[in-house]
Amino acid sequence: MTSTSTVDYQRTDGAALRLTFSEPEGALRGGLVVLHEVDGVTDGVKLLLASLATEGWLTVTPHLDGRRLTQQDLLDATDITLAWLVERGVQGDLLGVMGFDLGGSAALVVASHRRLGAAVSVGGQQAAELPTLVEIAGKLTSPWLGMYGDAGDEAGGAEVERLRDAAASAKVATNVVHYPGANHRFDADPGAAAEAWQRTLNWFDAHLR
C-alpha cells in the first residue's frame, strides 16, 4: 500500500490550498480528486487515497470545511486541485472526481458544473449550502456513477429512484445503483461496500482512457 503526503499548494495567482495525496508506484493512469466526508481528511480518507493509488491513479483530496461548504467554495477548491493534477502531468481527459458521504454530494455538484472524464458518488449526505441532488442530476456534464443505500427506509429508496430518473435526462452517461438496506456510508454492509468499490474501479477504467 502506498503512503500519503500533505502539502500546502500555492499557485502563482495567489490561490492556496492544503492537499493530501497518494502517488502510484508504477505507471500513471490518470488523476482523481477525492472529496472527503464532513469529518475531514480522516484515516479512512487516506486509506481510500492509497487504495486508488495502488490501481494506478494519482489521487488527491483538498482539505475542505465540510460544515460550511458552499457550492462556490467547492468548485474553487476543485479547480485548484485539478490544476495541481495537471501540473503533475495528468492529461485533461484522464481527470476524474469521486466522493463519499458529504463528498458524494459534492462530487455530483462538481460533475454537473465541470467537464471531467468521469465522476463517482458513494452515498450523499445533503449539505444545507449545496443544491439538492435531484435538482442538479439532470444537468450533469461528466459521466457519473452514483451508488446509494437507503438504510431500509422506504422514503429513502424512493429518493434514490427519483435521482435515477433525474440523472437519466442528462446528456452524458449515468448509472444510479440502489442498495436496499445499506446505510449511506455502506459501513454496515461489507457485500455492498465491496461491490461499490468494484463498480467504482470499473467506471474509471471505462471512462478515463
Side-chain angles (χ1 to χ4, degrees):
M1 185 71 69
T2 62
S3 61
T4 60
S5 303
T6 299
V7 296
D8 290 315
Y9 175 52
Q10 182 81 41
R11 286 172 51 85
T12 55
D13 61 7
L17 189 63
R18 174 159 288 191
L19 304 173
T20 294
F21 66 94
S22 188
E23 298 181 280
E25 295 179 352
L28 176 63
R29 301 178 60 194
L32 301 176
V33 177
V34 176
L35 300 171
H36 60 69
E37 59 188 339
V38 69
D39 293 332
V41 183
T42 62
D43 288 342
V45 175
K46 293 177 181 178
L47 177 61
L48 176 59
L49 293 174
S51 298
L52 288 166
T54 64
E55 300 291 333
W57 307 104
L58 174 56
T59 54
V60 55
T61 185
H63 289 238
L64 305 171
D65 184 349
R67 292 171 177 79
R68 291 193 300 273
L69 184 63
T70 68
Q71 177 172 291
Q72 193 58 54
D73 288 342
L74 167 63
L75 294 175
D76 288 347
T78 302
D79 287 344
I80 293 170
T81 310
L82 289 168
W84 182 87
L85 284 168
V86 171
E87 288 182 8
R88 301 294 290 260
V90 181
Q91 300 296 319
D93 58 349
L94 296 178
L95 292 167
V97 62
M98 77 164 295
F100 60 98
D101 200 8
L102 172 64
S105 297
L108 177 53
V109 171
V110 171
S112 65
H113 288 81
R114 299 292 184 264
R115 295 185 184 276
L116 299 172
V120 174
S121 295
V122 183
Q125 178 180 330
Q126 189 62 52
E129 294 82 3
L130 297 179
T132 63
L133 306 185
V134 172
E135 175 188 345
I136 59 174
K139 303 173 184 178
L140 282 159
T141 53
S142 302
W144 175 73
L145 167 65
M147 294 173 286
Y148 298 92
D150 59 20
D153 178 61
E154 185 174 337
E159 185 69 15
V160 175
E161 297 308 315
R162 284 194 292 273
L163 181 59
R164 175 184 284 120
D165 291 342
S169 67
K171 297 180 180 180
V172 294
T174 65
N175 186 20
V176 174
V177 183
H178 180 195
Y179 292 93
N183 63 20
H184 67 281
R185 297 174 64 124
F186 293 83
D187 52 11
D189 191 334
E195 184 181 308
W197 172 249
Q198 192 58 55
R199 285 182 180 273
T200 296
L201 298 180
N202 292 346
W203 191 259
F204 288 133
D205 286 345
H207 293 281
L208 299 182
R209 54 194 309 171

